[in-house]
Amino acid sequence: MVDALQTLMEKLQTRFGAALLASELDYREVAIEIPPTQATEVFTALRDDPDFAFEQMMDVCGVDYAAYSEVEWATEDSTNRGFSRGVVERATGRGQEAIQCAVQKPGATRGRFAAVYQLLSIAHNQRLRVRVFAPDDELPVVPSVVAIWASANWFEREAFDLFGIVFEGHPDLRRILTDYGFIGHPFRKDFPLIGNVEMRYDPERGRVVYEPVSIEPRVLVPRVIRKDNRYLP
């Protein structure tokens, strides 16, 4: 299995050359990263080239790399006040101000948002993960692959709905999971956990109404490993 995956990665490097921004074989999985400007060309070749024959697109998901690798709860100590807040306030539920310091790290060369594609080759019994970063964080745009794999249609709509990633060339890009009047994109890391609005049924008006959020934001308390003789080696 490892030999076959190593051969696949070498074929990918030979075929696409500089179009591969990164490639790795880890945990028996091959993953590559390609630029959005060459994504359509690379994806078409991955489907049509007999050496690859990735005829099925199994999944498309969005990723928000804001605050990536930042750990708020990096401690093993407890206090008599409990864990009412993290060591460094960067939890995603704290809103825009808490994670702004990590959204754009000094020296970062990649964008904040990426689309990740899971491909399957039935002919070769192999899988491939492909990642495409959007160049603009304010308006993340990547090419749509619906014309290559029709199964990407609803997956791309989901990534657009939850992350705000725009798939250029999609035939019907609109929300698929949230309400028509929903504000924002709930899987973005700066989206407040309590949301922007709340809704309820108003019996006097006879309809559902939207109102400002009435609950206080809170951050879940993680499991804490405390120093105890029972856990000493």
Side-chain angles (χ1 to χ4, degrees), residues 159-170:
F160 164 72
D161 190 357
L162 300 180
F163 290 92
I165 299 175
V166 177
F167 291 86
E168 188 175 16
H170 191 285

Side-chain angles (χ1 to χ4, degrees), residues 58-103:
M58 305 301 294
D59 186 30
V60 180
C61 66
V63 182
D64 181 358
Y65 284 93
Y68 180 69
S69 77
E70 296 289 341
V71 180
E72 182 180 36
W73 299 93
T75 179
E76 294 183 355
D77 298 328
S78 60
T79 68
N80 58 4
R81 295 179 297 132
F83 283 82
S84 59
R85 56 188 174 188
V87 178
V88 181
E89 294 186 358
R90 289 179 181 173
T92 56
R94 298 183 186 275
Q96 180 65 32
E97 294 181 0
I99 69 163
Q100 187 60 44
C101 58
V103 169

Side-chain angles (χ1 to χ4, degrees), residues 98-126:
I99 69 163
Q100 187 60 44
C101 58
V103 169
Q104 188 62 47
K105 296 181 181 179
T109 57
R110 297 175 178 176
R112 172 180 172 182
F113 297 99
V116 180
Y117 307 77
Q118 308 289 345
L119 307 182
L120 171 65
S121 171
I122 298 178
H124 301 298
N125 190 26
Q126 291 179 328

